[in-house]
Amino acid sequence: MATEELQPIQGMADIAPPEIKIWQRIESCVRELFHCYGFGEIRTPILEKSFVFLRSLGETTDVVQKEMYLFDDRGGRQIVVRPEGTASVMRFVALKGQEAQDARLYYIGPMFRCERPQAGRKRQFHQVGAEAIGPALAAADAEMIAMQVHLLRNLGLRNFNIHVNTRGLPEDRAVVTAGLRAALEPHIPNLCDDCRRRIDTNILRVLDCKNETCKKIAATLPPVTTFMAETSRKYLDDVLRLLKLLEIDAVVNPALIRGLDYYIHTVWEITHPALGSQDALAGGGRYRITLAEKTVEGVGFAMGFERLITAVQNDNPAFAAGEAQPMIWLVSFGQPAFEDNLKLLQTLRFRGVRCGMDLAGRSMKAQMRAADRSGATAVVIRGDNEMASGTFQFKDMKTGVQIALTLPELLENLNPQVRIAPLPSPVDGAKFQ
Ligand code: HAM
């Protein structure tokens, strides 16, 4: 038999050693962090009755119309191989009723969409997702985005962008549809075939059409918030204000629609430049859906695991390659710096950073020799100047580059998962000294 025959179905892949190791490392970071935020794991079946997805994702969405694996089982029931995790979690919550009212659930597992396979787009892919059940609260949405950002930072990602928008409330839809329809009227002849159809079926989707002409037209339209009620606009403003409070940089993207119908209020997407044309690392939002006469509300997100791996390989190669955690050596000039470094040593060890220092109060030269002996990849140097300015000199032992960091910057740099964030090359580094 030709070996080609033995390949998995196109768009699906075996995940085996040694590659499986990065999956396992990321999974343990994910689990650890989600437990911190009070989330417990849920494993729902891979197969669901078709109404679970048809009702929640929406009959006119791309996932339902073009991408779902749908079949009749032997009992003549229509079955769907799950294309995402949120609808299954909603079904579970609807089933449990009161008991699951404030559930915080996360999942890691395979999802299936019969898309045209291409780089970054698979037919079997994996998602890490989290759902916090509960009524609309701007703080809950902000917390969810913050948790996601926390996870990405823990994995050492730096170059991601957070796009936020609102879908408003179902009560806004008639006015939004009428407003968009009026604004699009003069452009109808120039829209692509899909968008001409979308005007009647799902007008919001015109805003995120990938066709260049449609994109240009969409850019001239007033933002959807113009047509929404004041309460919906205020909800978005509250979320943005809270994100700012939590020091999370998010930009409002009026073209962000998210292709699933269950969303209300906040929607967001996180993109990463290393992902190329399929640059969506994650998507999320607040939702409300009625299944078997039970309404479920919540907020959540899902990240593509394969895309997450690509981003980690790009931004944090040492972690991706499974390199051992480096040793950091603390070097002190003078007694006050020595004592403060003792405290820093403890703080860093509490945070899981592997570090050491010379406890005998020896000369700078002797301390640097000890650093070498320990195999330290970086040293943190503190003397009177640093004590006065509240900074730390961080020296990369391999390149010799040294930069001044504040305590938050130092802690960020010494995040145990991040290993050591790459420092600029010696030439670039000159300006830091
Ligand atoms: P989604 O945007 O359809 O949202 O998918 C979330 C993420 O899954 C995407 O950002 C992408 O990283 C990954 N993904 C999607 N399709 C593929 C594919 N064909 N190949 C590789 N990766 C893919 C949802 O699924 C919602 N359930 C998110 C959510 C949770 N909203 C609220 N809670």
Side-chain angles (χ1 to χ4, degrees):
M1 193 186 274
T3 48
E4 220 169 87
E5 277 294 296
L6 301 174
Q7 292 287 346
I9 295 168
Q10 206 193 1
M12 304 194 178
D14 298 310
I15 306 157
E19 187 205 348
I20 195 84
K21 288 204 168 149
I22 183 167
W23 288 73
Q24 291 164 338
R25 273 197 299 281
I26 294 179
E27 276 176 26
S28 33
C29 288
V30 166
R31 290 179 199 284
E32 209 175 293
L33 185 108
F34 285 175
H35 284 299
C36 255
Y37 283 76
F39 283 73
E41 186 177 0
I42 182 167
R43 299 185 191 183
T44 58
I46 307 271
L47 305 184
E48 293 274 1
K49 295 172 195 153
S50 59
F51 87 94
V52 172
F53 298 104
L54 299 180
R55 287 236 5 98
S56 52
L57 309 190
E59 309 250 359
T60 62
T61 55
D62 281 354
V63 177
V64 168
Q65 289 208 328
K66 306 185 195 159
E67 297 163 9
M68 272 189 342
Y69 285 100
L70 185 104
F71 64 93
D72 283 336
D73 72 0
R74 286 162 193 245
R77 279 168 299 240
Q78 210 179 40
I79 303 291
V80 166
V81 188
R82 67 178 188 193
E84 58 107 60
T86 313
S88 306
V89 172
M90 289 186 209
R91 180 198 48 70
F92 169 83
V93 170
L95 174 71
K96 293 287 163 189
Q98 269 310 94
E99 208 186 307
Q101 211 183 19
D102 301 315
R104 294 185 148 219
L105 299 165
Y106 78 89
Y107 46 90
I108 304 176
M111 307 293 162
F112 302 82
R113 297 186 191 175
C114 191
E115 304 191 65
R116 197 166 53 81
Q118 51 179 284
R121 184 175 282 184
K122 312 198 74 179
R123 288 183 167 168
Q124 175 177 337
F125 59 99
H126 296 72
Q127 280 186 348
V128 173
E131 314 291 349
I133 307 306
L137 288 173
D141 301 9
E143 187 203 24
M144 213 54 184
I145 297 175
M147 175 168 90
Q148 202 178 355
V149 168
H150 190 172
L151 175 61
L152 297 182
R153 291 215 179 115
N154 268 8
L155 291 171
L157 299 200
R158 293 285 175 274
N159 304 314
F160 53 89
N161 298 302
I162 309 163
H163 309 258
V164 180
N165 199 13
T166 178
R167 290 278 294 255
L169 283 168
E171 300 85 281
D172 294 322
R173 300 242 162 105
V175 189
V176 170
T177 304
L180 280 180
R181 189 187 286 267
L184 277 169
E185 199 70 48
H187 304 287
I188 291 178
N190 301 323
L191 292 174
C192 72
D193 291 347
D194 275 347
C195 282
R196 277 206 290 271
R197 217 172 313 117
R198 285 172 182 146
I199 289 195
D200 295 318
T201 55
N202 198 343
I203 198 161
L204 282 176
R205 296 301 313 278
V206 175
L207 302 182
D208 72 350
C209 179
K210 302 285 172 278
N211 176 293
E212 284 306 318
T213 316
C214 298
K215 264 197 208 165
K216 280 190 194 129
I217 294 172
T220 66
L221 301 174
V224 277
T225 42
T226 335
F227 309 115
M228 286 176 188
E230 179 56 25
T231 44
S232 298
R233 282 204 295 269
K234 181 169 179 314
Y235 191 95
L236 176 64
D237 287 345
D238 285 347
V239 172
L240 294 172
R241 191 173 47 79
L242 293 174
L243 288 177
K244 208 161 172 197
L245 185 81
L246 298 174
E247 297 180 16
I248 289 170
D249 281 333
V251 289
V252 177
N253 178 351
L256 179 71
I257 294 308
R258 306 272 306 130
L260 307 167
D261 278 1
Y262 49 54
Y263 290 119
I264 59 166
H265 283 313
T266 323
V267 283
W268 70 88
E269 212 155 85
I270 299 188
T271 57
H272 193 288
L275 300 178
S277 61
Q278 302 298 319
D279 67 349
L281 178 60
R286 171 159 290 283
Y287 45 82
R288 183 195 291 157
I289 191 73
T290 303
L291 284 178
E293 290 168 20
K294 298 204 171 76
T295 300
V296 178
E297 284 191 62
V299 61
F301 63 82
M303 318 194 199
F305 210 109
E306 289 80 358
R307 295 186 190 180
L308 191 56
I309 291 176
T310 305
V312 170
Q313 281 167 336
N314 188 73
D315 286 9
N316 191 5
F319 175 71
E323 283 172 18
Q325 204 193 317
M327 181 68 160
I328 308 300
W329 202 257
L330 308 187
V331 171
S332 343
F333 268 136
Q335 189 63 13
F338 175 83
E339 287 183 8
D340 251 43
N341 269 354
L342 261 185
K343 281 201 282 182
L344 178 64
L345 191 70
Q346 198 177 31
T347 306
L348 292 177
R349 285 174 175 167
F350 283 162
R351 296 169 72 101
V353 176
R354 203 158 75 93
C355 53
M357 67 183 264
D358 180 77
L359 300 176
R362 284 181 294 182
S363 70
M364 172 79 171
K365 211 166 158 191
Q367 291 183 62
M368 290 306 278
R369 263 202 310 270
D372 258 347
R373 271 199 310 276
S374 79
T377 44
V379 291
V380 174
I381 307 166
R382 262 202 304 181
D384 292 343
N385 289 346
E386 287 74 28
M387 294 291 286
S389 61
T391 58
F392 301 80
Q393 291 295 327
F394 183 84
K395 183 172 181 174
D396 186 318
M397 295 291 268
K398 211 160 100 198
T399 62
V401 175
Q402 189 169 316
I403 55 172
L405 299 175
T406 61
L407 182 61
E409 286 166 345
L410 179 75
L411 295 178
E412 172 92 354
N413 238 29
L414 295 183
N415 177 331
Q417 262 95 43
V418 174
R419 313 297 187 228
I420 297 181
L423 282 176
S425 71
V427 178
D428 297 341
K431 61 176 178 277
F432 289 102
Q433 290 177 21

